[in-house]
Amino acid sequence: MPELHRYRIFASHAWHRDEAYKRLFQFLDAAPLFIYSNYSVPQDKAFVGMNNTQLIEQLKRQVRPVEAVIILGGMYVSHSGWIQAEINFAKSIGKPIIGVMPWGAQRMPQAVTNAADIVVGWNTSSIVNAIRKYAI
């Protein structure tokens, strides 16, 4: 059996409200024949004591090596400033953006729709298929 490609991904999230973020990675962990490295920083490894400039630079270090950036649509409304910074940087360096529709929602924030290479539903196969297709 050939060795699986390990996808390098970054997912937007907020450290104090990361239920969707955790669920995203539960989906990815459960996907058959799919392996990845998570370049985003979970709550238990949150950066402490950094100013905004330092946080932006750290964010760029996280996004630069990835093959795809996942934007969770449900997070955008509450955290648009940081997520827009993630989107802007990812676009500036040519990273594909995968928008994930919020669970049970019919609408996606327009900013995410406009930036995304693809918007997918909140399920494992849609997300994994998008990563496989769009990762660079």
Side-chain angles (χ1 to χ4, degrees), residues 3-134:
E3 187 172 328
L4 294 174
H5 177 75
R6 178 177 294 276
Y7 293 94
R8 298 182 312 270
I9 58 174
F10 175 89
S12 63
H13 64 286
W15 287 318
H16 62 285
R17 292 194 62 194
D18 64 351
E19 298 87 14
Y21 173 83
K22 288 178 181 174
R23 184 170 290 172
L24 168 70
F25 286 100
Q26 289 171 349
F27 285 171
L28 297 180
D29 288 342
L33 302 175
F34 182 79
I35 56 175
Y36 66 92
S37 293
N38 179 2
Y39 280 70
S40 45
V41 176
Q43 184 176 13
D44 62 338
K45 296 180 181 176
F47 303 121
V48 178
M50 289 186 179
N51 63 34
N52 284 351
T53 302
Q54 293 168 320
L55 286 172
I56 291 284
E57 284 306 312
Q58 187 57 42
L59 175 71
K60 289 178 178 178
R61 283 189 207 110
Q62 292 173 260
V63 172
R64 209 170 268 122
V66 303
E67 297 172 284
V69 173
I70 299 173
I71 303 295
L72 301 172
M75 305 292 293
Y76 189 84
V77 174
S78 301
H79 307 285
S80 61
W82 282 108
I83 294 174
Q84 193 60 52
E86 294 167 356
I87 289 171
N88 293 345
F89 183 67
K91 293 301 267 185
S92 76
I93 60 172
K95 300 297 179 180
I97 294 177
I98 299 166
V100 177
M101 186 79 73
W103 170 253
Q106 299 296 315
R107 298 173 55 188
M108 181 75 151
Q110 193 62 45
V112 178
T113 300
N114 292 345
D117 294 276
I118 187 171
V119 174
V120 298
W122 183 244
N123 64 72
T124 302
S125 63
S126 295
I127 298 166
V128 168
N129 288 341
I131 293 169
R132 286 181 170 140
K133 181 174 181 179
Y134 287 92

